[in-house]
Amino acid sequence: MRIRMLLSAVVALSVVTAAPAMAADDQPLPGYTIVNPPLAPATVGGKPTRVLQGVHGHAAYDIEVPPQWNGKLALWAHGYRGQGKVLTVDPPGYGLRQRMLDQGFAWAASSYYDNGYDVKAGVTTTRELASLFGKLVKRPREVYLAGVSMGGHIIGRSMEEYPGFYAGALPMCGVLGDQALFDFFYDFNLVAQDLSGVNAYPVPADYQTNAVPKMEQTLGLNGTLTDRGKQLRAITVERSGGARPGAEASFELWKHFLFTIAEAPTGQSLAEFPAQLATNIFTRYTPNTPVDVNRTVRRVPPSNLWARFTPSLTQIPHIAGRPTAPVLSLHGLGDMFVPFSMEQAYRDDVARHGRSGSLVQRAIRTSNHCEFSPAEAGTAWDDLLKWVQTGKRPAGDVVNDPRVVSAAGYGCKFTDPAATGGTRGLFPKCA
């Protein structure tokens, strides 16, 4: 009887050991769900890749390793997902997934554990994914970062949060000017309110259905711009990067969308309510005629001073401008969701810290957000790799000289001449 009882206990113990309960961090946070369907392996040299998928640190992840791995890892940082509660994973875009695999790179991408504008989640989860890769596959010899939009904010901060860990970075259409992005959104809406005489701050519940139509009608945004509408356009062009090819045509593309960003918050965290750190207190608007906007516009201080000025890793943190490895960035000239001025702000920050030699920036003649061809992204990736391996800094564009940026041919050097469609027709053809 005692032997049978002992055997039963051993069997029961072996069952528990064989099927342990899911770890607490291997499932999403409360309120979140994960949608990460099976990723079909790619083919490299006639052989399939190895794909690993799972959940770690409350975030979903994808890992792909080529048959002949070169020991290097590329981490992909996705952009803003909105305020929903479904976590998803993106593979590297613009043909970079296959390009990386063909070059012998493994890649990995995380959903992050949170949506909203949560850069902290992206910074920490992406770094933890590199460690997980070392456990599941092997510790990589070099780790690179690439990504888009908010992913660029994640990349810029990651380079400073973990100095020396990343070998190089490719932020595309990135929020490299960090909190200045939310100042820009304030600029558009507060100036539009001032020029139209519509008082709509704080943003009311009927902003989109009542205040915005009044502003659009008064300023001529639905047809021919009034003089005040032209002033709004000129101020928006200046605040988004200054006079440059395609700027006025890009304003036509973005003028209605920029109103939709001014909405009531979905919560009180920074990720849910980014506007709490935005301000226009010290902004000087140009041109300042026919309306003396600098005298009449509503001035709004940041409601969360700590979040605005802390150097800590918050959900919307600062990027100091201290890259610790080569950074090559791409940005659309007419993008006004994450405007070209983000590149100018980052350039100024990097120069202030004496690290201009670690940054190369390229302007692409497009207006949609993150509108790049596979050739534009692939060439940038290849040039970044050569830079890291040889130490020879590749060519780029000057982004902070108004005379250069406003020239008719600006952005032609790195724009793919074979790419068509999208918003490329808004720009005159390059010589």
Side-chain angles (χ1 to χ4, degrees):
M1 178 66 72
R2 290 178 180 175
I3 293 175
R4 286 198 299 268
M5 291 175 64
L6 181 60
L7 288 174
S8 298
V10 170
V11 170
L13 180 60
S14 66
V15 170
V16 172
T17 303
M22 181 178 290
D25 68 343
D26 287 344
Q27 50 191 319
L29 292 171
Y32 279 95
T33 58
I34 288 174
V35 175
N36 191 21
L39 179 67
T43 301
V44 178
K47 297 180 180 179
T49 58
R50 177 189 178 197
V51 174
L52 303 172
Q53 295 177 276
V55 181
H56 179 73
H58 308 295
Y61 68 82
D62 288 354
I63 291 172
E64 189 168 22
V65 186
Q68 298 295 321
W69 180 44
N70 65 8
K72 301 177 183 181
L73 172 65
L75 295 170
W76 180 256
H78 72 69
Y80 177 62
R81 286 281 198 259
Q83 299 292 346
K85 297 296 183 180
V86 177
L87 303 177
T88 59
V89 184
D90 288 345
Y94 310 102
L96 289 175
R97 174 192 176 189
Q98 189 66 50
R99 193 182 202 93
M100 291 169 174
L101 293 169
D102 288 341
Q103 292 170 340
F105 274 80
W107 66 265
S110 171
S111 69
Y112 319 145
Y113 58 75
D114 187 22
N115 284 334
Y117 200 93
D118 194 339
V119 172
K120 180 179 181 180
V123 169
T124 58
T125 309
T126 300
R127 173 61 182 87
E128 290 166 3
L129 181 56
S131 296
L132 179 66
F133 180 93
K135 296 176 182 178
L136 298 179
V137 182
K138 189 178 180 181
R139 183 176 179 179
R141 293 189 290 111
E142 289 180 343
V143 182
Y144 292 76
L145 286 167
V148 294
S149 195
M150 187 186 79
H153 198 159
I154 291 165
I155 290 171
R157 181 63 190 225
S158 293
M159 299 286 285
E160 300 169 0
E161 194 71 20
Y162 307 107
F165 182 77
Y166 296 107
L170 176 64
M172 298 182 284
C173 49
V175 188
L176 294 170
D178 52 64
Q179 300 169 351
L181 174 65
F182 304 99
D183 296 345
F184 170 71
F185 296 152
Y186 254 23
D187 291 335
F188 180 85
N189 284 273
L190 291 173
V191 169
Q193 291 173 30
D194 184 69
L195 291 173
S196 63
V198 176
N199 183 9
Y201 183 88
V203 176
D206 64 348
Y207 186 69
Q208 303 298 332
T209 58
N210 185 24
V212 170
K214 291 179 181 178
M215 287 187 278
E216 291 179 331
Q217 180 178 3
T218 301
L219 299 174
L221 295 179
N222 292 319
T224 302
L225 292 177
T226 65
D227 287 344
R228 292 186 175 207
K230 292 177 182 178
Q231 186 177 358
L232 174 64
R233 179 179 65 189
I235 289 174
T236 304
V237 167
E238 180 63 25
R239 296 295 295 154
S240 63
R244 58 201 188 276
E248 292 192 356
S250 298
F251 174 83
E252 291 298 312
L253 178 71
W254 288 103
K255 62 185 180 182
H256 299 297
F257 174 83
L258 289 172
F259 284 116
T260 68
I261 296 173
E263 295 182 346
T266 58
Q268 293 306 308
S269 71
L270 283 175
E272 298 166 314
F273 184 19
Q276 64 185 287
L277 49 68
T279 183
N280 71 335
I281 285 290
F282 301 110
T283 303
R284 302 300 297 173
Y285 297 105
T286 57
N288 200 36
T289 182
V291 177
D292 185 357
V293 173
N294 288 310
R295 181 181 63 84
T296 59
V297 73
R298 179 186 290 273
R299 299 291 180 173
V300 180
S303 60
N304 189 334
L305 284 171
W306 177 86
R308 177 77 188 195
F309 296 109
T310 181
S312 301
L313 177 60
T314 65
Q315 290 179 321
I316 306 179
H318 281 289
I319 299 174
R322 297 189 182 96
T324 53
V327 176
L328 197 161
S329 69
L330 295 182
H331 216 110
L333 265 183
D335 187 352
M336 290 187 182
F337 183 27
V338 177
F340 189 68
S341 56
M342 295 288 99
E343 298 291 335
Q344 296 165 336
Y346 189 55
R347 164 61 69 180
D348 291 344
D349 289 340
V350 170
R352 187 165 54 251
H353 290 101
R355 303 199 183 190
S356 297
S358 296
L359 176 63
V360 168
Q361 295 164 291
R362 294 177 176 177
I364 306 299
R365 289 164 75 99
T366 56
S367 296
N368 281 327
H369 185 45
C370 303
E371 184 183 359
F372 307 114
S373 74
E376 290 160 349
T379 298
W381 171 254
D382 290 351
D383 287 349
L384 173 67
L385 298 185
K386 293 175 185 176
W387 185 8
V388 173
Q389 299 306 316
T390 67
K392 185 176 180 180
R393 187 167 175 263
D397 284 312
V398 173
V399 303
N400 55 354
D401 185 336
R403 293 172 299 177
V404 174
V405 175
S406 62
Y410 185 73
C412 287
K413 188 174 182 180
F414 299 102
T415 297
D416 178 8
T420 59
T423 62
R424 295 173 190 265
L426 297 179
F427 297 79
K429 287 188 177 297
C430 294

